[in-house]
Amino acid sequence: MISKVKNAMSTLVGGIMPHGHHHHHQHGSGNVQNCGLDGLPPRFPYSRPEFLDLTPELLQYSTEHASRPVITPKRDSRLPWRTGYAEVINAGKSMLNEDQASCELLYVRKISDKKQHRTSMLLDDSGDTSGIPLHFWGVFDGHAGSGAALMASKLLHRIIRDRLCDVTHLLENSSTPPPICLAKNGSPYQADGKKGAAQEAEEQEAQSETATTHFHMEKVVSMEGLVIGIIENAFRQMDDLIEKEKTSYSISGGCCAIAAIHLLGKLYVANAGDSRAIIIRNNEVIPMSNEFTPETERQRLQYLGFLKPELLGNEFTHIEFPRRIQHKELGKKMLFRDHTMTGWAYKTIVEDDLKFPLIYGEGKKARVMATIGVTRGLGDHDLKVYNSNIHIKPFLSCCPEVLVYNLSEHKHGPDDVLVMGTDGLWDVTTDREVADAVTTFLSCCDPSDPMRYTLAAQDLLMRSRGVLKERGWRLPNERLGSGDDITVFVVPLAGAETET
């Protein structure tokens, strides 16, 4: 087994596939519309984001690895809030651009009882602008295929919208904390006091038990907390849907997912993976996400391996050592750390410690089970350790971390923006460098130019991609540019005010 893992690691960290997470799966043939390797039709045929409105010729042009053209929306495109966007394909690590993106304006409204019985995920708002506006920006960094990223880019925003529709009546009174308990019909359930006839019929038994109940300790839940929970559950529902539909469709690989949702004056940024979002306000950087990698989630992963050693397949150890242990070092003492530790201590080496470590490598080369470099995302249900039957999905979480920014608490100028992008951008550019580049670029742009934010996104992307030279794509300082797919949104925070 160890020789298998060594082979897998040498392929992954040897520089053949820069910035990749795991690419031991075969990519599809040149015809992207064909069935997958499993003989099933794709859930969604390969495409670029709909808002780019690419012709077949431009779609083909976007896949050129040699020139890596920057693709942006057309000048007459009308993305919400004048949102800026740019993307570029990788330098050859995969045939297609495995990033996907979505930018949507939806409306949250009460769904009639008849409609609730049928799925509305695939339904557009069909021009009906009644309800509470919901703005959505999503970036999906695919790996080992584009199937999961494509599916998430088409459906995640609609799942979030549908789950919010279930509590429309509560969102319409957003200043009031949500009731702790809802009746079957969705109305607030009162544990004491008088009820209407319909509610009495529905809860006759429950009422008799609780009419005189008084609770001395009730936790007050905010409306913000309810929205966060709905977003978290929507990610899990999206992941479950990918798994369910894999029985009927070819949905390749997995994806990191980061989404920004604007609802009722607040911006909710949900991140599962190693993409990143920052807010730039008055040239100040406000981080809006944290990356989830084998290093940042070491203790969670090790704790799971400790609790359920059967997941390690008798091939891996959950304990971390500074380097691989040699057989001749049995009985000696070596530095180690486990799920209970942030520091290091010494332990006597036993036979079990010779197994391959659950987490191995540093920085961008760190891997879970020598296979994948991210620990949260969607998909990857079939992912196994190379040439084995050990599943990796149990160690991967689809749950995002959701950070909230209250737009209504601040006055925003035309140069205050949210920048959201895949790791292809951030691998070679720091938060501060991004903020300085965006601020400098926008200060030279006409504030009335509808393309100013797309041009800023394009400028950012070209800085990270670099220029093709004899020794590959290079930055101005001659450091290696990003060889990964790069996707970036630049969203003006004053957009909410200008559209209302």
Side-chain angles (χ1 to χ4, degrees):
M1 176 63 199
I2 287 177
S3 63
K4 293 176 189 173
V5 173
K6 281 182 178 175
N7 290 337
M9 284 301 295
S10 64
T11 302
L12 282 159
V13 305
I16 298 171
M17 298 173 182
H19 305 307
H21 302 312
H22 65 283
H23 298 277
H24 59 273
H25 298 282
Q26 293 293 317
H27 295 288
S29 64
N31 184 351
V32 296
Q33 308 295 337
N34 281 351
C35 292
L37 294 178
D38 44 18
L40 297 172
R43 178 63 179 87
F44 291 98
Y46 179 80
S47 64
R48 300 312 308 148
E50 287 181 19
F51 57 78
L52 289 176
D53 196 22
L54 297 184
T55 62
E57 293 76 22
L58 279 176
L59 179 61
Q60 184 63 39
Y61 176 60
S62 73
T63 64
E64 292 184 8
H65 297 283
S67 58
R68 300 182 73 194
V70 176
I71 306 299
T72 60
K74 296 175 182 175
R75 176 162 281 276
D76 60 353
S77 76
R78 289 288 177 262
L79 291 180
W81 293 15
R82 296 200 296 167
T83 292
Y85 176 85
E87 67 172 44
V88 69
I89 197 168
N90 61 80
K93 73 165 191 178
S94 62
M95 185 183 73
L96 300 171
N97 185 340
E98 294 179 339
D99 285 0
Q100 289 291 334
S102 50
C103 179
E104 302 284 343
L105 170 58
L106 307 100
Y107 293 89
V108 178
R109 66 178 77 87
K110 184 169 173 54
I111 303 172
S112 67
D113 291 337
K114 287 181 181 178
K115 284 185 179 177
Q116 273 183 331
H117 293 297
R118 59 192 178 99
T119 180
S120 59
M121 275 193 307
L122 297 177
L123 299 179
D124 289 312
D125 278 313
S126 61
D128 185 350
T129 58
S130 63
I132 303 168
L134 167 72
H135 290 85
F136 179 95
W137 300 265
V139 172
F140 307 90
D141 183 353
H143 46 247
S146 56
L150 254 171
M151 185 169 172
S153 71
K154 303 286 187 185
L155 297 182
L156 180 59
H157 53 281
R158 294 179 179 177
I159 294 175
I160 293 172
R161 185 268 318 271
D162 288 357
R163 296 292 68 79
L164 289 168
C165 285
D166 295 339
V167 294
T168 304
H169 57 299
L170 304 180
L171 294 171
E172 288 170 345
N173 300 294
S174 58
S175 58
T176 305
I180 289 175
C181 188
L182 295 178
K184 290 178 182 177
N185 63 3
S187 61
Y189 171 73
Q190 299 297 328
D192 52 1
K194 264 195 165 182
K195 296 183 177 70
Q199 196 170 341
E200 277 184 5
E202 185 184 11
E203 303 153 13
Q204 197 168 5
E205 186 180 337
Q207 184 180 7
S208 63
E209 293 176 3
T210 59
T212 58
T213 304
H214 293 279
F215 298 95
H216 297 289
M217 195 178 83
E218 287 189 355
K219 188 171 283 188
V220 176
V221 177
S222 67
M223 191 61 68
E224 181 180 293
L226 177 64
V227 173
I228 289 172
I230 285 172
I231 294 169
E232 290 168 335
N233 276 320
F235 270 67
R236 183 159 57 241
Q237 188 179 343
M238 183 72 248
D239 194 55
D240 290 344
L241 188 63
I242 291 172
E243 181 178 27
K244 179 183 174 184
E245 299 218 350
K246 279 179 74 71
T247 60
S248 306
Y249 297 98
S250 174
I251 305 169
S252 58
C255 68
C256 298
I258 187 166
I261 297 105
H262 176 254
L263 182 73
L264 297 170
K266 291 183 178 180
L267 200 60
Y268 298 83
V269 179
N271 183 45
D274 64 354
S275 295
R276 191 184 306 175
I278 62 171
I279 280 175
I280 304 164
R281 189 184 69 213
N282 295 327
N283 203 27
E284 174 195 359
V285 174
I286 304 169
M288 289 303 296
S289 65
N290 295 294
E291 276 104 88
F292 295 100
T293 67
E295 289 186 313
T296 64
E297 292 214 277
R298 173 185 62 82
Q299 286 174 281
R300 176 182 76 80
L301 301 171
Q302 287 181 318
Y303 187 43
L304 181 57
F306 168 75
L307 286 178
K308 296 189 173 184
E310 65 273 14
L311 295 176
L312 300 174
N314 205 32
E315 301 286 354
F316 293 87
T317 172
H318 71 280
I319 297 173
E320 181 185 12
F321 299 94
R323 62 164 170 79
R324 289 302 314 281
I325 300 171
Q326 298 177 3
H327 199 276
K328 63 184 180 182
E329 293 171 325
L330 280 170
K332 295 182 171 58
K333 290 189 174 182
M334 183 175 281
L335 287 168
F336 85 104
R337 59 180 178 177
D338 64 14
H339 63 280
T340 66
M341 305 164 65
T342 55
W344 297 81
Y346 286 98
K347 81 179 289 287
T348 301
I349 299 169
V350 296
E351 191 79 31
D352 227 34
D353 298 329
L354 296 176
K355 295 175 180 176
F356 203 86
L358 170 63
I359 298 163
Y360 189 72
E362 283 187 291
K364 293 299 288 187
K365 294 181 179 179
R367 294 289 183 270
V368 178
M369 293 179 158
T371 307
I372 184 168
V374 289
T375 52
R376 298 201 191 189
L378 304 169
D380 289 316
H381 296 92
D382 298 333
L383 182 62
K384 295 179 183 179
V385 174
Y386 177 73
N387 206 17
S388 84
N389 203 36
I390 302 173
H391 285 268
I392 297 175
K393 182 65 174 177
F395 291 93
L396 309 180
S397 171
C398 62
C399 184
E401 177 187 44
V402 184
L403 301 183
V404 185
Y405 179 81
N406 195 335
L407 282 162
S408 58
E409 287 182 354
H410 305 277
K411 184 71 177 172
H412 298 99
D415 296 350
D416 296 333
V417 296
L418 169 77
V419 177
M420 188 164 72
T422 54
D423 65 330
L425 172 72
W426 307 103
D427 283 348
V428 297
T429 319
T430 66
D431 292 1
R432 185 69 259 167
E433 288 169 341
V434 166
D436 290 343
V438 169
T439 302
T440 301
F441 188 90
L442 291 177
S443 67
C444 300
C445 278
D446 180 356
S448 63
D449 184 355
M451 289 293 286
R452 71 193 306 260
Y453 302 105
T454 283
L455 293 172
Q458 176 180 283
D459 178 68
L460 266 185
L461 191 144
M462 292 173 72
R463 285 171 179 268
S464 294
R465 181 200 65 178
V467 177
L468 184 59
K469 297 187 176 180
E470 284 184 12
R471 295 182 299 121
W473 293 90
R474 296 282 165 174
L475 305 180
N477 58 11
E478 287 303 310
R479 282 192 303 131
L480 203 60
S482 175
D484 204 353
D485 300 313
I486 313 175
T487 299
V488 60
F489 275 117
V490 176
V491 183
L493 299 177
E497 301 162 27
T498 57
E499 282 198 2
T500 54

